[in-house]
Amino acid sequence: MRTLYLHIGFHKTGSSSLQLAMKEQTQALNKAGFEFLSLGKKGNSSGCIEVLREKGRVRFKLNSRLDELLAASRGKQTIVSAEHLCFLHQRESIELVQQVCAKYFDNVKVIVYLRRQDLQAISFKKQGARGAASNRSSSSKLLGHSEGAFPTLNKDIEIYYDYFSKLKLWETVFGTDSLQVRLFSREALHGGDIVSDFLALLDGDMEISARRVNEGVGRKEFLLTHKLLELGVAESELIKLKPMMLEDDSQLLPSRSDARQFFMRFKQSNHLLNNTFLNNDSGLAFDTDFSGYPEQGNDWITVRDLSGWTPEILSAGIQRPEGLRDALLADKLQQMVRKKFSGEVLTQELEDLANCLSASAYVAKDQQPWYRALKKKKTSGR
């Protein structure tokens, strides 16, 4: 009897750390009776899912690579990790995955880790700021590049974060006993990390060292990358600006009210999730403590930010740097008009605007020929 342990994500729940740890310690897994297969060099098999953006919508398609990967398997207990599988939300798509798995395995254990929607969204959108082009990464295709820590909600994003509906389909297709739903939080994970927790779910006795993968994105890179991509700045220009963004490692945080509001958009789904797959005292599947967020967020670009960034933008070697600076300022002024800031905030923004412009202000002085200095200047007109 052959068993497949199929890890399907979600994104930003330590998947990269888990995959890399298993890839690097494949021999230890083999000794314990487990075979680890992957499509990527770092242990990721998400290449079996194609993420396509067409006509303003995102769709997901299973290709032939999962079948090819499983066909090469020889172990009685095999592990595959592909967080892009969590994108699938239509029954026929999930049934295709089940049919491929059933060709080679008698038993399939589907393992999924869930993270509270607001925490996951911030982290996932940070991933979209690591690149320099839009519609290339899965984060960019799904979440876009609008300003703020959270994506602008649309149908595709609402489907993605409706954990219950999606997992109910996986359970229906693979069977009630096949799906194992885990909460991604340090307190809930066995041993405090995903590697230890995942190994505890396997029918074996082994130890593998946890592998931390640093995918941090500072506030400056997050805000400026998303804004420049939203404005349509060319990839070649953005690449030149990236070094000046990476110098900042300050943390980006939305306001407490914005985080709570985003989470509560999925209240009904989380209530069903709690009753079916998770059991939290909050009744909403997750801890509802939002005290880790500040009252006032810092997830939007201020004129003071632009004032500090202007000298770096002007010296980055991009084409017409003054034009980019002015485009950012024009965008900011439009926001100020739309948001109708209070008097105190507006005054501060206008003062910073003056400072920003003065940093690159230049007035050409009238140049006199050298011989004019030898002649006595007139002190009055006619």
PDB file of all heavy atoms in Angstrom, residues 18-37 77 79 195 198-199 202-210:
ATOM      1  N   LEU A  18       9.838  24.677   4.976  1.00  0.00           N
ATOM      2  CA  LEU A  18       9.557  23.244   5.013  1.00  0.00           C
ATOM      3  C   LEU A  18      10.158  22.541   3.800  1.00  0.00           C
ATOM      4  O   LEU A  18      10.819  21.497   3.925  1.00  0.00           O
ATOM      5  CB  LEU A  18       8.042  23.018   5.045  1.00  0.00           C
ATOM      6  CG  LEU A  18       7.567  21.566   4.972  1.00  0.00           C
ATOM      7  CD1 LEU A  18       8.051  20.774   6.188  1.00  0.00           C
ATOM      8  CD2 LEU A  18       6.049  21.501   4.863  1.00  0.00           C
ATOM      9  N   GLN A  19       9.960  23.107   2.640  1.00  0.00           N
ATOM     10  CA  GLN A  19      10.457  22.495   1.401  1.00  0.00           C
ATOM     11  C   GLN A  19      11.976  22.420   1.380  1.00  0.00           C
ATOM     12  O   GLN A  19      12.555  21.388   1.020  1.00  0.00           O
ATOM     13  CB  GLN A  19       9.941  23.304   0.201  1.00  0.00           C
ATOM     14  CG  GLN A  19       8.446  23.192   0.005  1.00  0.00           C
ATOM     15  CD  GLN A  19       7.857  24.351  -0.773  1.00  0.00           C
ATOM     16  OE1 GLN A  19       8.568  25.284  -1.170  1.00  0.00           O
ATOM     17  NE2 GLN A  19       6.552  24.328  -0.988  1.00  0.00           N
ATOM     18  N   LEU A  20      12.623  23.491   1.772  1.00  0.00           N
ATOM     19  CA  LEU A  20      14.078  23.516   1.751  1.00  0.00           C
ATOM     20  C   LEU A  20      14.665  22.550   2.768  1.00  0.00           C
ATOM     21  O   LEU A  20      15.667  21.866   2.494  1.00  0.00           O
ATOM     22  CB  LEU A  20      14.578  24.934   2.020  1.00  0.00           C
ATOM     23  CG  LEU A  20      16.070  25.179   1.783  1.00  0.00           C
ATOM     24  CD1 LEU A  20      16.473  24.806   0.358  1.00  0.00           C
ATOM     25  CD2 LEU A  20      16.420  26.640   2.072  1.00  0.00           C
ATOM     26  N   ALA A  21      14.044  22.465   3.945  1.00  0.00           N
ATOM     27  CA  ALA A  21      14.515  21.544   4.976  1.00  0.00           C
ATOM     28  C   ALA A  21      14.434  20.101   4.488  1.00  0.00           C
ATOM     29  O   ALA A  21      15.371  19.305   4.676  1.00  0.00           O
ATOM     30  CB  ALA A  21      13.706  21.723   6.253  1.00  0.00           C
ATOM     31  N   MET A  22      13.328  19.743   3.833  1.00  0.00           N
ATOM     32  CA  MET A  22      13.167  18.373   3.346  1.00  0.00           C
ATOM     33  C   MET A  22      14.077  18.090   2.155  1.00  0.00           C
ATOM     34  O   MET A  22      14.588  16.983   2.009  1.00  0.00           O
ATOM     35  CB  MET A  22      11.696  18.114   2.990  1.00  0.00           C
ATOM     36  CG  MET A  22      10.784  18.078   4.211  1.00  0.00           C
ATOM     37  SD  MET A  22       9.115  17.427   3.878  1.00  0.00           S
ATOM     38  CE  MET A  22       8.453  18.753   2.864  1.00  0.00           C
ATOM     39  N   LYS A  23      14.288  19.105   1.318  1.00  0.00           N
ATOM     40  CA  LYS A  23      15.167  18.933   0.169  1.00  0.00           C
ATOM     41  C   LYS A  23      16.606  18.711   0.610  1.00  0.00           C
ATOM     42  O   LYS A  23      17.314  17.840   0.085  1.00  0.00           O
ATOM     43  CB  LYS A  23      15.080  20.168  -0.729  1.00  0.00           C
ATOM     44  CG  LYS A  23      15.895  20.087  -2.012  1.00  0.00           C
ATOM     45  CD  LYS A  23      15.281  19.100  -2.998  1.00  0.00           C
ATOM     46  CE  LYS A  23      15.990  19.133  -4.333  1.00  0.00           C
ATOM     47  NZ  LYS A  23      15.370  18.210  -5.316  1.00  0.00           N
ATOM     48  N   GLU A  24      17.048  19.482   1.586  1.00  0.00           N
ATOM     49  CA  GLU A  24      18.423  19.385   2.055  1.00  0.00           C
ATOM     50  C   GLU A  24      18.674  18.114   2.863  1.00  0.00           C
ATOM     51  O   GLU A  24      19.813  17.646   2.952  1.00  0.00           O
ATOM     52  CB  GLU A  24      18.776  20.606   2.899  1.00  0.00           C
ATOM     53  CG  GLU A  24      18.867  21.898   2.098  1.00  0.00           C
ATOM     54  CD  GLU A  24      19.207  23.096   2.959  1.00  0.00           C
ATOM     55  OE1 GLU A  24      19.016  23.015   4.196  1.00  0.00           O
ATOM     56  OE2 GLU A  24      19.666  24.104   2.413  1.00  0.00           O
ATOM     57  N   GLN A  25      17.616  17.565   3.450  1.00  0.00           N
ATOM     58  CA  GLN A  25      17.794  16.401   4.312  1.00  0.00           C
ATOM     59  C   GLN A  25      16.998  15.201   3.789  1.00  0.00           C
ATOM     60  O   GLN A  25      16.373  14.454   4.540  1.00  0.00           O
ATOM     61  CB  GLN A  25      17.386  16.750   5.744  1.00  0.00           C
ATOM     62  CG  GLN A  25      18.224  17.914   6.288  1.00  0.00           C
ATOM     63  CD  GLN A  25      17.831  18.337   7.680  1.00  0.00           C
ATOM     64  OE1 GLN A  25      17.981  17.577   8.640  1.00  0.00           O
ATOM     65  NE2 GLN A  25      17.322  19.554   7.806  1.00  0.00           N
ATOM     66  N   THR A  26      17.063  15.055   2.474  1.00  0.00           N
ATOM     67  CA  THR A  26      16.370  13.946   1.813  1.00  0.00           C
ATOM     68  C   THR A  26      16.861  12.591   2.313  1.00  0.00           C
ATOM     69  O   THR A  26      16.068  11.649   2.466  1.00  0.00           O
ATOM     70  CB  THR A  26      16.568  14.036   0.283  1.00  0.00           C
ATOM     71  OG1 THR A  26      16.046  15.279  -0.185  1.00  0.00           O
ATOM     72  CG2 THR A  26      15.861  12.899  -0.429  1.00  0.00           C
ATOM     73  N   GLN A  27      18.152  12.482   2.567  1.00  0.00           N
ATOM     74  CA  GLN A  27      18.697  11.208   3.031  1.00  0.00           C
ATOM     75  C   GLN A  27      18.119  10.805   4.384  1.00  0.00           C
ATOM     76  O   GLN A  27      17.830   9.620   4.607  1.00  0.00           O
ATOM     77  CB  GLN A  27      20.226  11.287   3.112  1.00  0.00           C
ATOM     78  CG  GLN A  27      20.899  11.373   1.751  1.00  0.00           C
ATOM     79  CD  GLN A  27      22.415  11.338   1.851  1.00  0.00           C
ATOM     80  OE1 GLN A  27      22.977  11.415   2.936  1.00  0.00           O
ATOM     81  NE2 GLN A  27      23.083  11.207   0.709  1.00  0.00           N
ATOM     82  N   ALA A  28      17.955  11.757   5.271  1.00  0.00           N
ATOM     83  CA  ALA A  28      17.363  11.463   6.583  1.00  0.00           C
ATOM     84  C   ALA A  28      15.931  10.965   6.424  1.00  0.00           C
ATOM     85  O   ALA A  28      15.490  10.047   7.121  1.00  0.00           O
ATOM     86  CB  ALA A  28      17.404  12.703   7.470  1.00  0.00           C
ATOM     87  N   LEU A  29      15.210  11.565   5.486  1.00  0.00           N
ATOM     88  CA  LEU A  29      13.849  11.111   5.209  1.00  0.00           C
ATOM     89  C   LEU A  29      13.857   9.700   4.630  1.00  0.00           C
ATOM     90  O   LEU A  29      13.014   8.856   4.996  1.00  0.00           O
ATOM     91  CB  LEU A  29      13.157  12.078   4.246  1.00  0.00           C
ATOM     92  CG  LEU A  29      12.737  13.443   4.798  1.00  0.00           C
ATOM     93  CD1 LEU A  29      12.330  14.375   3.662  1.00  0.00           C
ATOM     94  CD2 LEU A  29      11.587  13.296   5.790  1.00  0.00           C
ATOM     95  N   ASN A  30      14.788   9.444   3.728  1.00  0.00           N
ATOM     96  CA  ASN A  30      14.873   8.112   3.123  1.00  0.00           C
ATOM     97  C   ASN A  30      15.119   7.034   4.157  1.00  0.00           C
ATOM     98  O   ASN A  30      14.523   5.944   4.114  1.00  0.00           O
ATOM     99  CB  ASN A  30      15.983   8.084   2.067  1.00  0.00           C
ATOM    100  CG  ASN A  30      15.627   8.909   0.833  1.00  0.00           C
ATOM    101  OD1 ASN A  30      14.461   9.197   0.582  1.00  0.00           O
ATOM    102  ND2 ASN A  30      16.634   9.293   0.071  1.00  0.00           N
ATOM    103  N   LYS A  31      16.015   7.326   5.102  1.00  0.00           N
ATOM    104  CA  LYS A  31      16.323   6.357   6.159  1.00  0.00           C
ATOM    105  C   LYS A  31      15.098   6.057   7.015  1.00  0.00           C
ATOM    106  O   LYS A  31      14.959   4.963   7.547  1.00  0.00           O
ATOM    107  CB  LYS A  31      17.462   6.874   7.028  1.00  0.00           C
ATOM    108  CG  LYS A  31      18.819   6.881   6.331  1.00  0.00           C
ATOM    109  CD  LYS A  31      19.901   7.405   7.261  1.00  0.00           C
ATOM    110  CE  LYS A  31      21.260   7.417   6.561  1.00  0.00           C
ATOM    111  NZ  LYS A  31      22.326   7.959   7.450  1.00  0.00           N
ATOM    112  N   ALA A  32      14.222   7.070   7.147  1.00  0.00           N
ATOM    113  CA  ALA A  32      13.001   6.876   7.937  1.00  0.00           C
ATOM    114  C   ALA A  32      11.871   6.271   7.105  1.00  0.00           C
ATOM    115  O   ALA A  32      10.764   6.061   7.628  1.00  0.00           O
ATOM    116  CB  ALA A  32      12.559   8.207   8.532  1.00  0.00           C
ATOM    117  N   GLY A  33      12.144   6.012   5.825  1.00  0.00           N
ATOM    118  CA  GLY A  33      11.146   5.360   4.980  1.00  0.00           C
ATOM    119  C   GLY A  33      10.294   6.301   4.157  1.00  0.00           C
ATOM    120  O   GLY A  33       9.229   5.905   3.658  1.00  0.00           O
ATOM    121  N   PHE A  34      10.758   7.551   4.006  1.00  0.00           N
ATOM    122  CA  PHE A  34       9.987   8.530   3.235  1.00  0.00           C
ATOM    123  C   PHE A  34      10.770   9.026   2.025  1.00  0.00           C
ATOM    124  O   PHE A  34      11.966   9.273   2.103  1.00  0.00           O
ATOM    125  CB  PHE A  34       9.611   9.728   4.121  1.00  0.00           C
ATOM    126  CG  PHE A  34       8.650   9.391   5.213  1.00  0.00           C
ATOM    127  CD1 PHE A  34       9.111   8.961   6.456  1.00  0.00           C
ATOM    128  CD2 PHE A  34       7.280   9.484   5.012  1.00  0.00           C
ATOM    129  CE1 PHE A  34       8.231   8.632   7.468  1.00  0.00           C
ATOM    130  CE2 PHE A  34       6.396   9.155   6.021  1.00  0.00           C
ATOM    131  CZ  PHE A  34       6.863   8.727   7.254  1.00  0.00           C
ATOM    132  N   GLU A  35      10.057   9.165   0.928  1.00  0.00           N
ATOM    133  CA  GLU A  35      10.638   9.693  -0.300  1.00  0.00           C
ATOM    134  C   GLU A  35      10.111  11.113  -0.507  1.00  0.00           C
ATOM    135  O   GLU A  35       8.902  11.343  -0.478  1.00  0.00           O
ATOM    136  CB  GLU A  35      10.225   8.805  -1.476  1.00  0.00           C
ATOM    137  CG  GLU A  35      10.676   9.321  -2.836  1.00  0.00           C
ATOM    138  CD  GLU A  35      10.062   8.521  -3.967  1.00  0.00           C
ATOM    139  OE1 GLU A  35       8.857   8.183  -3.864  1.00  0.00           O
ATOM    140  OE2 GLU A  35      10.758   8.242  -4.951  1.00  0.00           O
ATOM    141  N   PHE A  36      11.025  12.061  -0.694  1.00  0.00           N
ATOM    142  CA  PHE A  36      10.617  13.443  -0.953  1.00  0.00           C
ATOM    143  C   PHE A  36      10.880  13.784  -2.407  1.00  0.00           C
ATOM    144  O   PHE A  36      12.001  13.667  -2.905  1.00  0.00           O
ATOM    145  CB  PHE A  36      11.374  14.421  -0.053  1.00  0.00           C
ATOM    146  CG  PHE A  36      11.021  15.864  -0.320  1.00  0.00           C
ATOM    147  CD1 PHE A  36       9.742  16.345  -0.044  1.00  0.00           C
ATOM    148  CD2 PHE A  36      11.954  16.734  -0.868  1.00  0.00           C
ATOM    149  CE1 PHE A  36       9.400  17.663  -0.307  1.00  0.00           C
ATOM    150  CE2 PHE A  36      11.625  18.066  -1.135  1.00  0.00           C
ATOM    151  CZ  PHE A  36      10.349  18.526  -0.836  1.00  0.00           C
ATOM    152  N   LEU A  37       9.833  14.203  -3.110  1.00  0.00           N
ATOM    153  CA  LEU A  37       9.935  14.559  -4.523  1.00  0.00           C
ATOM    154  C   LEU A  37       9.650  16.050  -4.709  1.00  0.00           C
ATOM    155  O   LEU A  37       8.836  16.627  -3.980  1.00  0.00           O
ATOM    156  CB  LEU A  37       8.914  13.773  -5.349  1.00  0.00           C
ATOM    157  CG  LEU A  37       9.052  12.243  -5.389  1.00  0.00           C
ATOM    158  CD1 LEU A  37       7.907  11.652  -6.202  1.00  0.00           C
ATOM    159  CD2 LEU A  37      10.389  11.835  -5.980  1.00  0.00           C
ATOM    160  N   GLN A  77       6.043   5.568   0.905  1.00  0.00           N
ATOM    161  CA  GLN A  77       5.539   6.782   1.546  1.00  0.00           C
ATOM    162  C   GLN A  77       6.256   7.975   0.903  1.00  0.00           C
ATOM    163  O   GLN A  77       7.465   8.123   1.046  1.00  0.00           O
ATOM    164  CB  GLN A  77       5.793   6.759   3.056  1.00  0.00           C
ATOM    165  CG  GLN A  77       5.054   5.635   3.770  1.00  0.00           C
ATOM    166  CD  GLN A  77       5.191   5.747   5.271  1.00  0.00           C
ATOM    167  OE1 GLN A  77       4.289   6.233   5.953  1.00  0.00           O
ATOM    168  NE2 GLN A  77       6.319   5.309   5.804  1.00  0.00           N
ATOM    169  N   ILE A  79       6.350  12.230  -0.218  1.00  0.00           N
ATOM    170  CA  ILE A  79       5.956  13.582   0.180  1.00  0.00           C
ATOM    171  C   ILE A  79       6.133  14.529  -1.002  1.00  0.00           C
ATOM    172  O   ILE A  79       7.175  14.528  -1.660  1.00  0.00           O
ATOM    173  CB  ILE A  79       6.813  14.094   1.356  1.00  0.00           C
ATOM    174  CG1 ILE A  79       6.727  13.144   2.548  1.00  0.00           C
ATOM    175  CG2 ILE A  79       6.391  15.503   1.763  1.00  0.00           C
ATOM    176  CD1 ILE A  79       7.761  13.429   3.620  1.00  0.00           C
ATOM    177  N   VAL A 195       8.322  22.683  10.365  1.00  0.00           N
ATOM    178  CA  VAL A 195       9.043  21.448  10.058  1.00  0.00           C
ATOM    179  C   VAL A 195       8.740  20.385  11.113  1.00  0.00           C
ATOM    180  O   VAL A 195       8.391  19.244  10.791  1.00  0.00           O
ATOM    181  CB  VAL A 195      10.558  21.704   9.965  1.00  0.00           C
ATOM    182  CG1 VAL A 195      11.303  20.387   9.755  1.00  0.00           C
ATOM    183  CG2 VAL A 195      10.861  22.670   8.825  1.00  0.00           C
ATOM    184  N   PHE A 198       5.041  19.319  10.768  1.00  0.00           N
ATOM    185  CA  PHE A 198       4.774  18.466   9.609  1.00  0.00           C
ATOM    186  C   PHE A 198       5.274  17.045   9.856  1.00  0.00           C
ATOM    187  O   PHE A 198       4.583  16.070   9.534  1.00  0.00           O
ATOM    188  CB  PHE A 198       5.447  19.061   8.369  1.00  0.00           C
ATOM    189  CG  PHE A 198       5.083  18.367   7.089  1.00  0.00           C
ATOM    190  CD1 PHE A 198       3.950  18.711   6.385  1.00  0.00           C
ATOM    191  CD2 PHE A 198       5.885  17.353   6.584  1.00  0.00           C
ATOM    192  CE1 PHE A 198       3.610  18.067   5.196  1.00  0.00           C
ATOM    193  CE2 PHE A 198       5.562  16.702   5.401  1.00  0.00           C
ATOM    194  CZ  PHE A 198       4.425  17.060   4.711  1.00  0.00           C
ATOM    195  N   LEU A 199       6.464  16.923  10.433  1.00  0.00           N
ATOM    196  CA  LEU A 199       7.022  15.597  10.707  1.00  0.00           C
ATOM    197  C   LEU A 199       6.155  14.836  11.706  1.00  0.00           C
ATOM    198  O   LEU A 199       6.038  13.604  11.626  1.00  0.00           O
ATOM    199  CB  LEU A 199       8.448  15.717  11.249  1.00  0.00           C
ATOM    200  CG  LEU A 199       9.492  16.277  10.265  1.00  0.00           C
ATOM    201  CD1 LEU A 199      10.846  16.374  10.938  1.00  0.00           C
ATOM    202  CD2 LEU A 199       9.582  15.416   9.007  1.00  0.00           C
ATOM    203  N   LEU A 202       3.458  12.790  10.046  1.00  0.00           N
ATOM    204  CA  LEU A 202       3.842  11.611   9.281  1.00  0.00           C
ATOM    205  C   LEU A 202       3.868  10.377  10.175  1.00  0.00           C
ATOM    206  O   LEU A 202       4.124  10.459  11.368  1.00  0.00           O
ATOM    207  CB  LEU A 202       5.232  11.821   8.657  1.00  0.00           C
ATOM    208  CG  LEU A 202       5.411  13.064   7.779  1.00  0.00           C
ATOM    209  CD1 LEU A 202       6.838  13.110   7.257  1.00  0.00           C
ATOM    210  CD2 LEU A 202       4.416  13.072   6.626  1.00  0.00           C
ATOM    211  N   ASP A 203       3.644   9.245   9.581  1.00  0.00           N
ATOM    212  CA  ASP A 203       3.677   7.983  10.326  1.00  0.00           C
ATOM    213  C   ASP A 203       5.115   7.480  10.400  1.00  0.00           C
ATOM    214  O   ASP A 203       5.478   6.454   9.822  1.00  0.00           O
ATOM    215  CB  ASP A 203       2.778   6.942   9.652  1.00  0.00           C
ATOM    216  CG  ASP A 203       1.325   7.386   9.641  1.00  0.00           C
ATOM    217  OD1 ASP A 203       0.913   8.059  10.597  1.00  0.00           O
ATOM    218  OD2 ASP A 203       0.620   7.059   8.680  1.00  0.00           O
ATOM    219  N   GLY A 204       5.948   8.192  11.103  1.00  0.00           N
ATOM    220  CA  GLY A 204       7.355   7.803  11.214  1.00  0.00           C
ATOM    221  C   GLY A 204       8.003   8.491  12.400  1.00  0.00           C
ATOM    222  O   GLY A 204       7.421   9.364  13.028  1.00  0.00           O
ATOM    223  N   ASP A 205       9.224   8.078  12.696  1.00  0.00           N
ATOM    224  CA  ASP A 205       9.965   8.646  13.817  1.00  0.00           C
ATOM    225  C   ASP A 205      11.277   9.215  13.294  1.00  0.00           C
ATOM    226  O   ASP A 205      12.204   8.474  12.964  1.00  0.00           O
ATOM    227  CB  ASP A 205      10.235   7.564  14.870  1.00  0.00           C
ATOM    228  CG  ASP A 205      10.935   8.129  16.090  1.00  0.00           C
ATOM    229  OD1 ASP A 205      10.914   9.368  16.255  1.00  0.00           O
ATOM    230  OD2 ASP A 205      11.523   7.349  16.864  1.00  0.00           O
ATOM    231  N   MET A 206      11.356  10.545  13.204  1.00  0.00           N
ATOM    232  CA  MET A 206      12.556  11.170  12.650  1.00  0.00           C
ATOM    233  C   MET A 206      12.654  12.601  13.152  1.00  0.00           C
ATOM    234  O   MET A 206      11.692  13.185  13.660  1.00  0.00           O
ATOM    235  CB  MET A 206      12.508  11.150  11.123  1.00  0.00           C
ATOM    236  CG  MET A 206      11.582  12.190  10.516  1.00  0.00           C
ATOM    237  SD  MET A 206      11.107  11.862   8.829  1.00  0.00           S
ATOM    238  CE  MET A 206       9.658  10.839   9.134  1.00  0.00           C
ATOM    239  N   GLU A 207      13.825  13.168  12.963  1.00  0.00           N
ATOM    240  CA  GLU A 207      14.058  14.572  13.304  1.00  0.00           C
ATOM    241  C   GLU A 207      14.795  15.246  12.150  1.00  0.00           C
ATOM    242  O   GLU A 207      15.762  14.702  11.640  1.00  0.00           O
ATOM    243  CB  GLU A 207      14.884  14.698  14.595  1.00  0.00           C
ATOM    244  CG  GLU A 207      14.113  14.334  15.843  1.00  0.00           C
ATOM    245  CD  GLU A 207      14.910  14.620  17.105  1.00  0.00           C
ATOM    246  OE1 GLU A 207      15.967  15.290  16.994  1.00  0.00           O
ATOM    247  OE2 GLU A 207      14.494  14.186  18.182  1.00  0.00           O
ATOM    248  N   ILE A 208      14.305  16.414  11.773  1.00  0.00           N
ATOM    249  CA  ILE A 208      14.947  17.211  10.730  1.00  0.00           C
ATOM    250  C   ILE A 208      15.043  18.635  11.242  1.00  0.00           C
ATOM    251  O   ILE A 208      14.071  19.187  11.761  1.00  0.00           O
ATOM    252  CB  ILE A 208      14.141  17.169   9.413  1.00  0.00           C
ATOM    253  CG1 ILE A 208      14.221  15.785   8.786  1.00  0.00           C
ATOM    254  CG2 ILE A 208      14.653  18.199   8.422  1.00  0.00           C
ATOM    255  CD1 ILE A 208      13.482  15.655   7.483  1.00  0.00           C
ATOM    256  N   SER A 209      16.188  19.222  11.107  1.00  0.00           N
ATOM    257  CA  SER A 209      16.390  20.581  11.596  1.00  0.00           C
ATOM    258  C   SER A 209      15.538  21.564  10.803  1.00  0.00           C
ATOM    259  O   SER A 209      15.420  21.467   9.584  1.00  0.00           O
ATOM    260  CB  SER A 209      17.863  20.983  11.468  1.00  0.00           C
ATOM    261  OG  SER A 209      18.685  20.099  12.205  1.00  0.00           O
ATOM    262  N   ALA A 210      14.941  22.500  11.526  1.00  0.00           N
ATOM    263  CA  ALA A 210      14.141  23.533  10.867  1.00  0.00           C
ATOM    264  C   ALA A 210      15.057  24.424  10.034  1.00  0.00           C
ATOM    265  O   ALA A 210      16.210  24.643  10.376  1.00  0.00           O
ATOM    266  CB  ALA A 210      13.396  24.364  11.906  1.00  0.00           C
TER     267      ALA A 210
END
